Amino acid sequence: MMSYVDFPETRELTARTLSLDTALFRYPYRVRVQDSKAVVLDLHGTDYFFHVFHYPDFHYLSSFGKRGNAPEEMLSAENFRWNGNFLWTLDSNKFELTRLGFASSGDSLLCLEAVSLDEELLRTLDFVQYDDSTFIIPDYSGDSRFCLVSRQGKLLRKIGAIPTANEGALGNARPALAQAWRSFIDYNPRNGILVAATQLGEVIEIYHLKDSTHLACTGPNGEPEFRISQGYGIPTGVMGFSDIQVTDNAIYLVFQGHKFKDIMQKAKRGINLPNGGQNIYVFSLEGKPLRKYVLDHYVHGIFIDEQKGVIIATDVNKDEPIIEYKLI
């Protein structure tokens, strides 16, 4: 366990809005780039959940992940991951992971494989691909931290534990504790580092899977805070992290920091706070705080392009939601 109070340097960034040649989004939640393709997940898409653009000019190419009940349609979309030229998507309502590949034209995607997830897994809200035969999925039962799942969707084993000091919840309310500790995860297969960042509070966990070491870093807002009501964990602290990317050189996280009591009080007065966070925290791969970027937008999803020296981000509060920051 480690703790941090602040960052050795703070830098302010000003966004450049990327003009799109089409208006598609209702809630652009995630953006991920591979080579010349950028895919944006629209969490509340009317017809499609995913939209493909040419990168870096963001010229629109196609949409996929049609909303519906048909075999190759989706009921929900929680996340998606690149694996080379293939793309994996997660539909938690259908308990399904789907692998897609680009058609010969290079602009549309075709379904290549559908994996039904084991019924022993609770509602799956995130995933990463550890290797060609294994997925890592957060465990929401509270019994462990992660589930290792086979390429066929079967639960192989559970690993890790929630690094909490709340012994009462560990003994009597593990499902509520796991709900409060819901985390966004990312994994970089090149350096073998898996990172989990809590949606509530301010805790990041760094797993070096190549040597099986584990580090938990707690910020000023501490562990996720919650009260238990009818078996559910009701958040009472702060909104925490909203996206994460592990690059070859560092860990980047979007942090919100809104207190729930402030959100509730402002809502009663008819004031809605912007969705997302104005801070991007940067840590070394060993968990050392490096710098904090303060943004002029509230952003949800990020993609860090270290080669080009830019951050691509999504701002769900704006009509033109795709923005770019220069890393300085």
Side-chain angles (χ1 to χ4, degrees):
M1 296 292 293
M2 290 179 58
S3 62
Y4 62 91
V5 176
D6 206 348
F7 292 80
E9 61 175 322
T10 299
R11 303 177 185 178
E12 296 185 0
L13 300 182
T14 301
R16 178 176 75 93
T17 299
L18 300 181
S19 298
L20 305 180
D21 53 5
T22 184
L24 295 165
F25 303 114
R26 292 184 65 192
Y27 202 95
Y29 185 60
R30 291 283 182 262
V31 55
R32 307 199 189 283
V33 176
Q34 179 80 359
D35 298 329
S36 64
K37 300 291 195 305
V39 177
V40 178
L41 162 58
D42 187 353
L43 199 63
H44 304 312
T46 305
D47 300 312
Y48 294 92
F49 286 108
F50 299 96
H51 306 286
V52 187
F53 297 85
H54 184 269
Y55 180 76
D57 58 14
F58 271 84
H59 170 68
Y60 172 74
L61 297 175
S62 64
S63 299
F64 67 98
K66 185 174 175 59
R67 180 188 285 271
N69 288 305
E72 292 192 4
E73 295 177 344
M74 302 184 71
L75 295 175
S76 66
E78 276 64 45
N79 210 338
F80 66 106
R81 304 283 180 184
W82 287 101
N83 182 4
N85 293 322
F86 300 110
L87 199 69
W88 284 93
T89 63
L90 169 63
D91 184 337
S92 64
N93 286 341
K94 292 179 79 171
F95 279 78
E96 191 172 80
L97 287 164
T98 302
R99 183 170 65 94
L100 302 107
F102 280 94
S104 57
S105 61
D107 57 2
S108 60
L109 285 120
L110 305 173
C111 178
L112 302 176
E113 179 182 0
V115 176
S116 296
L117 295 172
D118 199 314
E119 292 182 358
E120 289 187 53
L121 297 168
L122 296 179
R123 181 179 173 87
T124 300
L125 298 174
D126 205 352
F127 76 103
V128 294
Q129 191 169 11
Y130 175 58
D131 55 30
D132 287 340
S133 62
T134 312
F135 299 102
I136 300 175
I137 291 173
D139 179 21
Y140 296 109
S141 70
D143 296 332
S144 64
R145 199 68 177 107
F146 299 105
C147 300
L148 299 184
V149 178
S150 74
R151 181 68 174 264
Q152 292 72 41
K154 300 301 180 185
L155 175 62
L156 300 173
R157 66 182 185 277
K158 296 185 176 185
I159 59 172
I162 297 173
T164 179
N166 189 341
E167 294 183 2
L170 266 178
N172 304 306
R174 287 198 175 197
L177 179 69
Q179 186 182 16
W181 274 77
R182 180 198 170 178
S183 297
F184 300 108
I185 64 175
D186 194 34
Y187 174 64
N188 187 328
R190 291 180 295 276
N191 52 31
I193 293 179
L194 170 73
V195 178
T198 55
Q199 188 179 23
L200 307 176
E202 192 174 347
V203 181
I204 66 170
E205 298 167 72
I206 304 171
Y207 298 81
H208 291 256
L209 299 186
K210 290 184 177 180
D211 61 12
S212 300
T213 57
H214 170 216
L215 173 70
C217 302
T218 304
N221 292 287
E223 287 191 25
E225 297 178 17
F226 65 101
R227 61 181 176 84
I228 299 173
S229 176
Q230 298 180 339
Y232 292 95
I234 309 299
T236 58
V238 301
M239 291 290 292
F241 300 99
S242 63
D243 201 9
I244 174 176
Q245 185 177 337
V246 182
T247 70
D248 292 347
N249 304 302
I251 301 164
Y252 294 78
L253 308 108
V254 178
F255 185 72
Q256 300 191 46
H258 299 309
K259 295 181 179 179
F260 279 96
K261 64 178 182 180
D262 294 340
I263 296 173
M264 301 277 285
Q265 289 172 357
K266 285 187 166 69
K268 288 178 181 177
R269 302 201 304 268
I271 302 170
N272 293 319
L273 291 173
N275 286 311
Q278 279 191 293
N279 297 293
I280 294 179
Y281 292 172
V282 187
F283 291 83
S284 73
L285 300 178
E286 292 72 35
K288 178 183 177 181
L290 298 178
R291 72 188 63 88
K292 176 172 71 174
Y293 292 114
V294 179
L295 313 179
D296 61 344
H297 286 242
Y298 287 85
V299 305
H300 249 297
I302 55 170
F303 171 74
I304 312 300
D305 189 332
E306 288 184 323
Q307 288 187 335
K308 290 185 170 62
V310 299
I311 302 172
I312 306 297
T314 63
D315 180 352
V316 301
N317 308 284
K318 303 291 184 180
D319 292 334
E320 295 182 293
I322 309 300
I323 55 179
E324 178 187 273
Y325 290 99
K326 291 285 188 184
L327 283 170
I328 57 173

